[in-house]
């Protein structure tokens, strides 16, 4: 009697409240024994509808709303909105402001990637590594606080430049911090890239080939880990056109590759901050005076820690802009995530969800 | 139970916040602030938790989940609203999807303002919550609903081993009888 019994399917809910993720996302995992055969995501737990606030806040106040799309990459959200409005108003901000934006962008990238590395280590149960990553992150946050005034929500951007300038002492302290961070990162990076227990969890998990990454529209480190050279910083917004850096890619296509790409970007960020501080010009002003209201539309693209973000602004010549639309990297990375979840063992699910570096508040706004 | 007010376990839930406060809640357990050295643990299970940290202004989809987690936490419990959004709705108060503060959904005991609330103020809020926690616990004992103070946990008193052994043995007997029947 050799009757093949088809395994029964069970549905296991993942989230919205889950110890691995600080944010709510709900995924229904369709299981056959221990293997995920299908994953159905449902979102909307953090949808606030902040794009509609453009009707109530004028275009200068909207910067502060844009910054609160997400607390991790808050500086870049504010900057993306400002650059879009500046393009519409045809305003050229001073060079010093451009360089300062670049420096703070890279500081955000540093603290975002360190946060992610910590959460990843927590995801596979390496608590000491988790704490080590977050200890280094505090140094980066201290420098952000010293120079901008806020730990996470910095609020230094405004349409037409920056609210405040930094002193030469601050610049010196920033440079010393990144050098110190680089020194402390080396043993952490070594553990992530060479430790047996880390490798056994990450190598070969969540394969996303180059073709699949293109077809599913992955972005950011997820795409670069599949061997595709895309980095919007090369388009030269802010002061990136004056800075020399290479795009970091990996051809392994798995969780380990994503980890390696992000670690590479940490060291790259340190290098970019050092270059920017060396090249920053002296000037009295960090902002320009605005004339009139914006009229027209613009689509600003920039590279966030998690990938490519779009900011679409349509203005009608009054104080209140017509439409503000954001497309964030995690939204693009959800389709590849669902693809990598299929066929994965149940125990790998939290890890795979983490490897895309999910930021649900960005996605749902 | 003396250990209650010394090492509470937290559960954290993001009820539509921008992530800033969530990261700061996590940062409290990091080497710099390290609340874990006092036995304050960020747990993932509502049934193990004593203090409920909610961030964000609660949207319509999130409200039932906040209620559900609140109901699952055993009595006594203290709710901490972390961040300006959780207190009043903050910058998102005018958004069509935001109910405007955690207190619209569940009763809140301690409000921690700040955008994003700093780890120091969150820890301060937790310390304030501890006093409330003790108060609620005492009230429950007076009403005859909670566990009275365990004298064995006092350093002055010796642990009464015989009593606990008797309890165990009687439990075993009971289970044996059940098995036999």
């Amino acid at each position: 009697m050799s009757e093949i019994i088809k395994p029964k399917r069970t549905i296991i809910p993942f989230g919205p409240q889950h110890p691995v993720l600080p944010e709510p996302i709900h995924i229904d995992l369709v299981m056959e024994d221990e293997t995920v055969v299908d994953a159905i995501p449902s979102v909307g737990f953090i949808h606030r509808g902040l794009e509609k606030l453009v009707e109530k806040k004028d275009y200068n106040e909207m910067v502060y709303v844009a910054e609160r799309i997400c607390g991790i990459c808050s500086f870049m959200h504010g900057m993306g909105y400002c650059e879009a409005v500046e393009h519409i108003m045809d305003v050229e901000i001073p060079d010093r402001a451009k360089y300062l934006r670049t420096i703070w962008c890279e500081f955000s990238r540093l603290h975002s990637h360190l946060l992610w590395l910590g959460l990843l280590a927590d995801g596979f149960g390496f608590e000491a590594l988790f704490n080590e990553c977050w200890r280094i992150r505090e140094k980066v946050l201290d420098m952000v606080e010293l120079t901008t005034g806020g730990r996470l929500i910095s609020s230094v951007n405004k349409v037409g430049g920056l609210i405040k300038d930094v002193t030469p002492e601050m610049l010196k302290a920033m440079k010393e911090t990144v050098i110190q961070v680089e020194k402390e990162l080396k043993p952490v990076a070594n553990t992530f890239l060479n430790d047996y227990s880390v490798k056994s969890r990450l190598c070969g998990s969540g394969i996303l080939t180059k073709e699949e990454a293109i077809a599913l529209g992955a972005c950011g480190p997820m795409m670069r880990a599949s061997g595709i050279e895309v980095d919007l910083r090369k388009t030269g917004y802010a002061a990136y056109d004056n800075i020399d850096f290479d795009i970091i890619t990996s051809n392994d296509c798995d969780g380990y590759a994503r980890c390696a790409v992000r670690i590479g970007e940490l060291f790259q960020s340190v290098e970019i901050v050092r270059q920017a501080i060396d090249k920053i010009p002296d000037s009295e002003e960090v902002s320009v005076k605005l004339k009139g209201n914006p009229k027209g539309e613009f689509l600003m693209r920039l590279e966030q820690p998690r990938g490519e973000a779009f900011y679409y602004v349509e203005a009608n010549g009054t104080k209140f802009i017509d439409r503000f639309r954001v497309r964030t990297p995690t939204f693009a990375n959800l389709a590849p995530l669902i693809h990598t979840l299929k066929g994965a063992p149940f125990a790998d699910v939290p890890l795979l969800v983490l490897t895309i570096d999910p930021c649900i508040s960005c996605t749902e706004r | 139970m003396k250990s209650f007010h010394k090492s509470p376990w937290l559960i954290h839930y993001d009820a539509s916040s921008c992530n800033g406060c969530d990261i700061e809640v996590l940062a409290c357990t990091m080497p710099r602030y390290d609340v874990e050295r006092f036995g304050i643990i960020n747990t993932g299970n509502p049934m193990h938790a004593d203090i409920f940290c909610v961030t964000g202004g609660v949207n319509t989809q999130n409200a039932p989940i906040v209620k559900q987690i609140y109901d699952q936490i055993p009595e006594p419990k203290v709710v901490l609203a972390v961040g300006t959004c959780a207190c009043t709705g903050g910058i998102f108060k005018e958004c069509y999807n935001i109910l405007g503060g955690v207190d619209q959904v569940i009763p809140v005991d301690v409000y921690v303002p700040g955008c994003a609330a700093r780890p120091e103020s969150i820890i301060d809020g937790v310390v304030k919550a501890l006093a409330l926690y003790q108060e609620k616990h005492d009230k429950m004992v007076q009403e005859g609903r909670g566990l009275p103070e365990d004298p064995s946990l006092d350093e002055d008193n010796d642990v009464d081993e015989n009593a606990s052994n008797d309890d165990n043995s009687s439990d075993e007997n009971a289970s044996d009888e059940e098995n036999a029947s």
Side-chain angles (χ1 to χ4, degrees):
Chain A
M1 188 104 171
S2 60
E3 196 180 320
I4 299 163
I5 302 166
K6 212 180 163 197
K8 250 177 138 177
R9 289 194 167 187
T10 37
I11 295 179
I12 297 181
F14 178 89
Q17 191 263 325
H18 194 278
V20 164
L21 292 169
E23 297 171 281
I25 181 170
H26 179 83
I27 305 175
D28 279 319
L29 300 167
V30 183
M31 311 285 299
E32 271 178 13
D33 286 341
E34 277 287 288
T35 315
V36 181
V37 289
D38 202 1
I40 307 153
S42 59
V43 291
F45 293 97
I46 323 192
H47 176 65
R48 289 151 280 171
L50 60 83
E51 286 167 356
K52 206 170 160 56
L53 277 183
V54 287
E55 293 172 3
K56 289 167 183 159
K57 313 254 180 206
D58 71 37
Y59 73 93
N60 283 318
E61 290 170 338
M62 199 56 201
V63 183
Y64 305 110
V65 179
E67 281 198 317
R68 281 160 181 81
I69 292 172
C70 168
I72 305 173
C73 23
S74 114
F75 181 84
M76 292 196 200
H77 281 303
M79 174 180 140
Y81 170 79
C82 287
E83 295 231 342
V85 179
E86 281 156 13
H87 271 106
I88 293 173
M89 298 178 85
D90 210 7
V91 170
E92 181 79 18
I93 65 166
D95 276 350
R96 190 175 172 84
K98 284 185 184 170
Y99 274 92
L100 280 173
R101 278 185 179 178
T102 310
I103 292 168
W104 279 321
C105 270
E106 291 311 315
F107 266 89
S108 324
R109 199 179 311 277
L110 275 174
H111 97 72
S112 172
H113 279 355
L114 279 169
L115 177 142
W116 177 80
L117 283 174
L119 288 180
L120 182 75
D122 186 43
F124 52 68
F126 203 146
E127 289 289 327
L129 200 55
F130 171 42
N131 279 294
E132 186 65 11
C133 290
W134 282 59
R135 187 184 63 78
I136 302 171
R137 181 175 167 266
E138 284 291 331
K139 288 189 196 300
V140 179
L141 285 183
D142 275 353
M143 225 5 91
V144 175
E145 189 180 4
L146 177 76
T147 49
T148 67
R151 260 168 70 90
L152 293 174
I153 312 275
S154 51
S155 297
V156 278
N157 273 310
K158 69 172 182 181
V159 179
L162 298 170
I163 284 173
K164 56 175 136 185
D165 198 356
V166 297
T167 60
E169 292 81 43
M170 284 178 182
L171 281 178
K172 201 170 154 238
M174 278 171 138
K175 198 169 173 184
E176 279 165 9
T177 306
V178 287
I179 291 169
Q180 181 67 23
V181 164
E182 187 182 30
K183 213 170 110 193
E184 291 182 13
L185 264 177
K186 275 179 184 154
V188 175
N190 187 34
T191 312
F192 268 109
L193 297 177
N194 300 320
D195 189 81
Y196 165 75
S197 52
V198 177
K199 271 187 160 178
S200 66
R201 279 305 256 134
L202 290 176
C203 283
S205 69
I207 300 278
L208 185 76
T209 61
K210 195 172 178 176
E211 291 73 29
E212 286 164 351
I214 293 171
L216 294 166
C219 69
M222 187 90 175
M223 194 168 206
R224 293 196 279 277
S226 295
I228 303 161
E229 268 199 26
V230 179
D231 192 326
L232 284 179
R233 285 178 286 177
K234 284 284 178 197
T235 57
Y237 62 89
Y240 283 111
D241 44 354
N242 299 324
I243 283 167
D244 179 35
F245 65 99
D246 296 322
I247 300 173
I248 292 167
T249 56
S250 167
N251 289 319
D252 291 350
C253 307
D254 56 359
Y256 179 78
R258 281 160 222 154
C259 184
V261 165
R262 287 190 176 103
I263 285 174
E265 286 185 9
L266 279 172
F267 290 109
Q268 187 188 45
S269 289
V270 169
E271 185 52 40
I272 292 177
V273 171
R274 279 158 76 171
Q275 281 190 33
I277 291 175
D278 287 342
K279 287 180 182 169
I280 192 164
D282 282 330
S283 72
E284 290 288 306
E285 292 291 319
V286 286
S287 64
V288 287
K289 250 196 147 125
L290 300 172
K291 277 183 210 142
N293 293 321
K295 190 173 195 311
E297 61 177 351
F298 193 77
L299 182 71
M300 177 71 203
R301 299 159 75 206
L302 55 82
E303 184 75 21
Q304 284 215 342
R306 288 165 183 74
E308 179 177 349
F310 292 1
Y311 301 86
Y312 172 74
V313 176
E314 190 187 327
N316 55 4
T318 63
K319 260 199 333 185
F320 298 94
I321 53 182
D322 265 353
R323 182 82 168 99
F324 173 49
R325 171 85 174 92
V326 188
R327 197 206 72 158
T328 52
T330 307
F331 182 72
N333 279 335
L334 274 180
L337 166 70
I338 299 304
H339 178 79
T340 53
L341 279 179
K342 285 175 191 167
F346 183 62
D348 271 1
V349 170
L351 199 71
L352 290 179
V353 173
L354 276 177
T355 56
I356 70 159
D357 197 357
C359 179
I360 314 298
S361 356
C362 286
T363 314
E364 300 175 355
R365 299 178 296 283
Chain B
M1 288 280 212
K2 279 260 154 109
S3 53
F4 267 170
H5 66 276
K6 283 183 181 162
S7 56
W9 283 21
L10 301 183
I11 182 165
H12 157 248
Y13 184 66
D14 174 353
S16 51
S17 96
C18 76
N19 238 340
C21 299
D22 311 288
I23 300 303
E24 295 294 51
V25 170
L26 274 181
C28 294
T29 60
M30 288 311 110
R32 174 176 288 176
Y33 301 103
D34 200 9
V35 292
E36 281 193 8
R37 70 199 142 133
F38 304 120
I40 302 177
I41 293 174
N42 192 1
T43 174
N45 189 343
M47 317 234 183
H48 297 168
D50 306 308
I51 296 181
F52 187 19
C53 281
V54 200
T55 55
V58 189
N59 70 11
T60 27
Q61 191 170 353
N62 239 327
I65 291 142
V66 173
K67 265 187 212 152
Q68 200 179 3
I69 295 174
Y70 178 76
D71 289 340
Q72 283 177 4
I73 301 173
E75 292 272 347
K77 53 194 162 194
V78 182
V79 179
L80 201 68
V82 178
T84 310
C85 296
C87 296
T88 64
I91 195 166
F92 303 122
K93 196 173 186 176
E94 289 171 310
C95 288
Y96 56 85
N97 204 20
I98 290 287
L99 300 178
V102 180
D103 50 8
Q104 306 288 320
V105 187
I106 52 172
V108 175
D109 299 293
V110 182
Y111 295 88
V112 181
C115 184
R118 294 179 60 86
E120 288 95 336
S121 53
I122 296 173
I123 293 170
D124 191 39
V126 171
V127 171
K128 286 209 165 62
L130 284 181
L132 276 169
Y133 190 85
Q134 187 63 34
E135 230 169 74
K136 286 191 175 185
H137 175 250
D138 293 346
K139 204 178 158 202
M140 274 179 71
V141 172
Q142 276 172 14
E143 290 168 357
R145 290 191 296 139
L147 285 171
E149 298 274 335
D150 188 348
S152 66
L153 286 169
D154 265 352
E155 283 168 9
D156 306 334
N157 294 356
D158 287 329
V159 180
D160 195 355
E161 284 177 356
N162 291 332
S164 58
N165 281 344
D166 284 346
D167 286 345
N168 286 341
S169 57
S170 63
D171 283 344
E172 279 166 21
N173 289 339
S175 59
D176 282 356
E177 279 165 20
E178 277 171 21
N179 289 339
S181 64

